[in-house]
Amino acid sequence: MSAYEISIISIIGINVILAVSLNMISGFCGQISLGHGAFFGAGAYAAALTMTGKGGVPLAIVAALITGSLLGVIVGFASLRVRTDFLAVTTIGVNFLFVGFVRKQTWLGGEMGISGIPPTGLGAAGNMVMILLFAAATIALSLYISRSWMGFAFRAVGEDEGAAATLGINSGAYKLAAFGIGTALAGLAGGLYTFFTQFITVDAFDFIFSVMLMAMVVIGGIGSTWGVVVAAVGLTLLPEAIRFVNDYRLLVFGGLLVLVIRLAPGGLTAMVQNLFLAVRRS
């Protein structure tokens, strides 16, 4: 396997973790978050500081998980007081605050980022395997939650908080749980990204990247784990397929998102389900 193929597969694994984790917040619990890049970046910087401090890979992974989750729970408290549209705006602000804060901090490398991050010792192929294992574990966790009581409670809160309350569901607790789990996984993805690149700058975690993650969730079918996985893989490979129009990449992504919302509001998942039903009826 070439270095290029290893890089692409590693990025796919990281994006799958990010898209699935965002789907837990927005797809399962109905909390629209457009600042997922901030949680991703928080985990990446936590892992980078741990590795440069000679903390080792296991400690860096724990630091990434905890940092992402802590920031997520803080933002999650905001979700207890604002409705969906305002929460989306709030998370956008969090993403801009994160980028602006990091740019001004010399101990985080400022505009130049953090370089010279020690390698994991696993090599590029070993890092790729580690990323894929964590991606598989994230998918398994998402599928488990979606079929558990917690998953049903998430969906009830996302559909109608008032109706969920009549069933004895504490919507505030489940919103915080969704943010805590989803952002912890985003932090984990950040840590894996740090292992993969050994160099980070805050530009990798900006608002545009957060929008691309939300596009993966919407195109895959919001609330569907497998649909989001397929979209994450497809939208990661798409830039490689359209390198000849790389300057117009965001235009292509935006057009694709508009087409899916207009023609298939339920995303790829609903499209496949409708096709399957049509075949059965025929």
Side-chain angles (χ1 to χ4, degrees):
M1 188 175 289
S2 68
Y4 173 74
E5 292 169 336
I6 289 174
S7 296
I8 294 298
I9 294 173
S10 297
I11 294 171
I12 286 174
I14 291 169
N15 283 345
V16 165
I17 295 173
L18 286 168
V20 171
S21 65
L22 179 58
N23 188 51
M24 290 185 190
I25 300 171
S26 299
F28 289 178
C29 206
Q31 304 301 296
I32 302 302
S33 173
L34 291 173
H36 216 52
F39 312 118
F40 177 45
Y45 274 92
L49 292 175
T50 305
M51 291 295 285
T52 53
K54 305 191 183 304
V57 173
L59 190 58
I61 290 174
V62 172
L65 278 164
I66 292 176
T67 305
S69 183
L70 278 177
L71 182 59
V73 169
I74 292 171
V75 175
F77 272 108
S79 72
L80 304 181
R81 297 181 179 277
V82 296
R83 294 290 179 182
T84 302
D85 295 344
F86 294 101
L87 175 62
V89 176
T90 301
T91 53
I92 292 172
V94 169
N95 207 151
F96 280 111
L97 279 173
F98 174 79
V99 172
F101 174 78
V102 172
R103 285 192 197 282
K104 299 295 182 185
Q105 304 304 311
T106 55
W107 61 284
L108 293 176
E111 296 276 1
M112 303 301 292
I114 299 177
S115 59
I117 299 169
T120 61
L122 299 174
N127 284 338
M128 179 193 71
V129 172
M130 178 171 60
I131 290 169
L132 293 179
L133 288 175
F134 275 115
T138 300
I139 294 170
L141 177 63
S142 177
L143 292 172
Y144 173 76
I145 289 177
S146 69
R147 295 163 185 168
S148 68
W149 166 249
M150 177 181 281
F152 291 126
F154 280 167
R155 292 180 190 279
V157 171
E159 289 291 333
D160 190 326
E161 286 186 42
T166 62
L167 298 174
I169 296 173
N170 186 332
S171 61
Y174 281 102
K175 283 181 179 179
L176 285 179
F179 262 99
I181 297 171
T183 55
L185 292 171
L188 168 66
L192 297 173
Y193 177 78
T194 297
F195 299 155
F196 167 64
T197 60
Q198 295 180 250
F199 168 72
I200 57 172
T201 66
V202 75
D203 292 336
F205 316 113
D206 62 8
F207 173 63
I208 296 297
F209 184 69
S210 295
V211 172
M212 289 178 65
L213 292 176
M214 182 54 78
M216 292 177 185
V217 173
V218 173
I219 291 174
I222 192 163
S224 167
T225 300
W226 286 117
V228 168
V229 170
V230 171
V233 174
L235 290 181
T236 305
L237 291 174
L238 182 60
E240 302 304 315
I242 58 172
R243 276 181 174 274
F244 58 96
V245 290
N246 198 42
D247 292 341
Y248 302 97
R249 182 183 53 165
L250 292 178
L251 185 63
V252 173
F253 275 20
L256 185 60
L257 184 59
V258 170
L259 281 176
V260 169
I261 292 174
R262 182 68 182 85
L263 302 176
L268 295 176
T269 303
M271 194 183 302
V272 171
Q273 288 174 343
N274 292 336
L275 183 63
F276 179 72
L277 288 174
V279 170
R280 284 191 63 181
R281 286 170 185 161
S282 64

